[in-house]
Amino acid sequence: SAMPQLNETHVPALRSWIASAQEPGCDFPLQNLPHAVFRRTGSNESWRGGVAIGDQVLDLAAALASGAFDTAPAEAREALTDAARPALNALMARGPEDWSALRLALSRALREGAAAQARLASALVPQALVEYTVPARIGDYTDFYTSVHHATNIGRLFRPDQPLMPNYKWVPIGYHGRASTIGVSGQAFARPQGQTLPIGATQPAFGPCQRLDYEMELGLYIGAGNAPGEPIPIGLAERHLFGVCLLNDWSARDIQAWEYQPLGPFLSKNFATTVSPWVVTLEALAPFRVPFVRPVEDPQPLPYLDDAEQRRAGAIDVQLEVWLETEASRGAGHGAMRLSRTSYRHAYWTPAQLVAHHSVNGCALQPGDLLGTGTLSGPAPDEAGALIELTRGGREPLALPDGTARTFLLDGDAVILRGWCEAPGAARIGFGECRGRVLPARQHAG
């Protein structure tokens, strides 16, 4: 099977000698072990790879130097060396056998009673004391459009008679995004400026975006790539997927409306995309796989996008939430307010289908490439993953718990994405958070 299988690292009863890993609701128990690239906050240390356990980061370079992994299999030690580097690309390029060997070695070293405890204790750094960077060198970034609910809701705003384009249920829709403006959680960016066509006007105006939105998505990191001209078959696609993060593809809806015909989003999307620092491996997500289903009345996927294993368990049940923190709520100490909650299981196309489709024409994917899922909206109105849906295209402002309202984002707003997985007979695992904040537009642009 190309799909990661359950093994001893997933056993729910496993406990770590790091007590915080057992705290209820902890995103990073022993069954998770996601990867990030970090350093101590405010230091001039070099960036290095780390793995989350409880409220700590295991510094992998320090873990290697401690000798705790001297007896681990060679492939685990070599993978650990790559995982300790300032970007995860070398680890991503290794492939699933080595990722799995590394995960097993880490799991055994961090378990209660492990002989490695004495050596590894000094390789831990509290997460509260670290800062992160984008975990891979992202050569290319592709954003898909895999939520049929989002596509229908958006389509209804612009084309009430034909919300979905005729190709939607046949082909995974995507566009090539911009890798240079992807930032890690904590990213703050100036409100973008550009051309918009004001209501009733015959010519465009230039100025700050007035309809700034977030998009709740997941990001999929490519592991080992494929040679140019050699498509990745659907049955092998998951061998080329390293892991998953939270992703916020900020969108300037007024700029988008004026520019996107005929070639799609451009400046409306490429000013900022925020990813969570932690990459949850595909293997860690094995307990949360669910069937990929198509309504009987819908077209069934063409053969290159169809596979028995995908039908059985191609989708992933990741719970997702969007929270908003405003200047006022921050100042009053009230914290963030939840705007919506949904699950990735509602997506119309699976991660493997995206990889198979992306490469079917011979396109070469490379380690560290990032695929966005597109906005993940569920079937119910309160499961929408963007303000443009929650406010019906800006016509119905969203009432917030603190008595204020939002149509689109205001300066000072921070949007926080959270994600986690839970299922009977499995340990709950989480993704941490993906936070970004809107700053005022820069003065004197143009």
Side-chain angles (χ1 to χ4, degrees):
S1 168
M3 213 178 251
Q5 303 300 300
L6 292 176
N7 58 48
E8 70 174 77
T9 65
H10 299 100
V11 173
L14 290 181
R15 292 172 61 86
S16 172
W17 49 265
I18 295 146
S20 58
Q22 278 80 243
E23 290 287 326
C26 172
D27 275 354
F28 308 120
L30 189 56
Q31 293 82 355
N32 192 350
L33 303 176
H35 291 269
V37 173
F38 80 103
R39 67 183 176 197
R40 285 173 179 78
T41 305
S43 72
N44 55 5
E45 292 175 348
S46 53
W47 294 105
R48 80 249 346 238
V51 161
I53 179 75
D55 60 7
Q56 305 289 306
V57 184
L58 181 67
D59 180 330
L60 297 184
L64 267 170
S66 75
F69 292 93
D70 287 357
T71 57
E75 62 269 31
R77 280 201 315 280
E78 289 162 17
L80 186 59
T81 303
D82 284 342
R85 297 182 197 277
L88 295 176
N89 299 63
L91 175 66
M92 289 167 165
R94 295 191 77 88
E97 287 78 17
D98 287 5
W99 304 334
S100 204
L102 170 57
R103 179 179 161 83
L104 181 61
L106 288 167
S107 173
R108 288 177 172 170
L110 293 168
R111 282 178 209 173
E112 246 174 13
Q117 177 174 349
R119 290 174 184 257
L120 286 181
S122 62
L124 295 171
V125 187
Q127 288 168 25
L129 301 183
V130 311
E131 60 187 2
Y132 303 96
T133 189
V134 175
R137 289 185 309 279
I138 300 170
D140 280 297
Y141 160 48
T142 302
D143 200 28
F144 283 95
Y145 197 45
T146 67
S147 165
V148 69
H149 306 291
H150 176 69
T152 302
N153 292 340
I154 295 292
R156 201 173 275 132
L157 295 174
F158 297 109
R159 297 178 303 275
D161 303 337
Q162 189 203 16
L164 277 190
M165 290 295 188
N167 62 359
Y168 188 86
K169 293 185 174 180
W170 290 99
V171 58
I173 303 294
Y175 70 95
H176 293 288
R178 179 88 189 155
S180 66
T181 43
I182 297 173
V184 78
S185 182
Q187 181 176 26
F189 60 91
R191 177 177 296 271
Q193 314 209 50
Q195 284 192 32
T196 58
L197 187 68
I199 302 288
T202 53
Q203 57 182 38
F206 178 87
C209 160
Q210 300 299 313
R211 292 165 67 93
L212 185 62
D213 204 353
Y214 59 82
E215 291 191 332
M216 174 176 62
E217 309 192 16
L218 288 173
L220 312 170
Y221 283 99
I222 296 296
N226 58 304
E230 294 183 11
I232 299 170
I234 183 118
L236 297 178
E238 295 202 13
R239 293 182 53 80
H240 295 264
L241 278 168
F242 174 73
V244 183
C245 69
L246 303 170
L247 185 150
N248 186 344
D249 184 31
W250 305 90
S251 295
R253 301 297 186 189
D254 45 0
I255 296 172
Q256 184 176 357
W258 174 232
E259 75 176 3
Y260 86 113
Q261 308 282 11
L263 291 184
F266 180 36
L267 299 189
S268 57
K269 302 274 195 172
N270 69 6
F271 56 92
T273 302
T274 310
V275 292
S276 53
W278 295 106
V279 185
V280 176
T281 62
L282 210 60
E283 187 172 62
L285 294 167
F288 312 102
R289 304 301 295 254
V290 291
F292 157 72
V293 288
R294 268 282 180 273
V296 182
E297 65 274 14
D298 280 14
Q300 299 306 299
L302 293 181
Y304 81 98
L305 293 170
D306 211 347
D307 172 66
E309 209 173 19
Q310 285 297 301
R311 295 273 184 163
R312 184 182 60 77
I316 312 174
D317 189 11
V318 183
Q319 306 300 312
L320 295 161
E321 288 181 339
V322 184
W323 294 70
L324 175 69
E325 185 184 271
T326 67
E327 288 277 33
S329 72
R330 199 178 301 125
H334 292 322
M337 298 164 275
R338 192 172 78 180
L339 301 186
S340 65
R341 176 177 173 183
T342 189
S343 166
Y344 184 39
R345 72 174 180 272
H346 298 304
Y348 203 75
W349 302 100
T350 68
Q353 287 171 322
L354 300 186
V355 171
H357 182 66
H358 204 315
S359 63
V360 75
N361 64 346
C363 174
L365 301 176
Q366 297 182 304
D369 279 358
L370 183 65
L371 312 184
T373 58
T375 306
L376 295 173
S377 299
D382 63 351
E383 292 184 87
L387 281 173
I388 192 170
E389 287 173 82
L390 290 172
T391 67
R392 309 284 189 277
R395 291 193 290 273
E396 301 173 19
L398 183 70
L400 299 178
D402 67 358
T404 62
R406 276 294 177 282
T407 308
F408 290 98
L409 296 171
L410 300 183
D411 293 347
D413 283 352
V415 176
I416 301 123
L417 309 184
R418 297 189 180 137
W420 72 95
C421 298
E422 48 192 335
R428 176 201 183 277
I429 64 170
F431 286 72
E433 67 171 35
C434 176
R435 171 187 292 261
R437 188 160 50 93
V438 182
L439 303 176
R442 295 182 61 139
Q443 299 301 307
H444 311 302

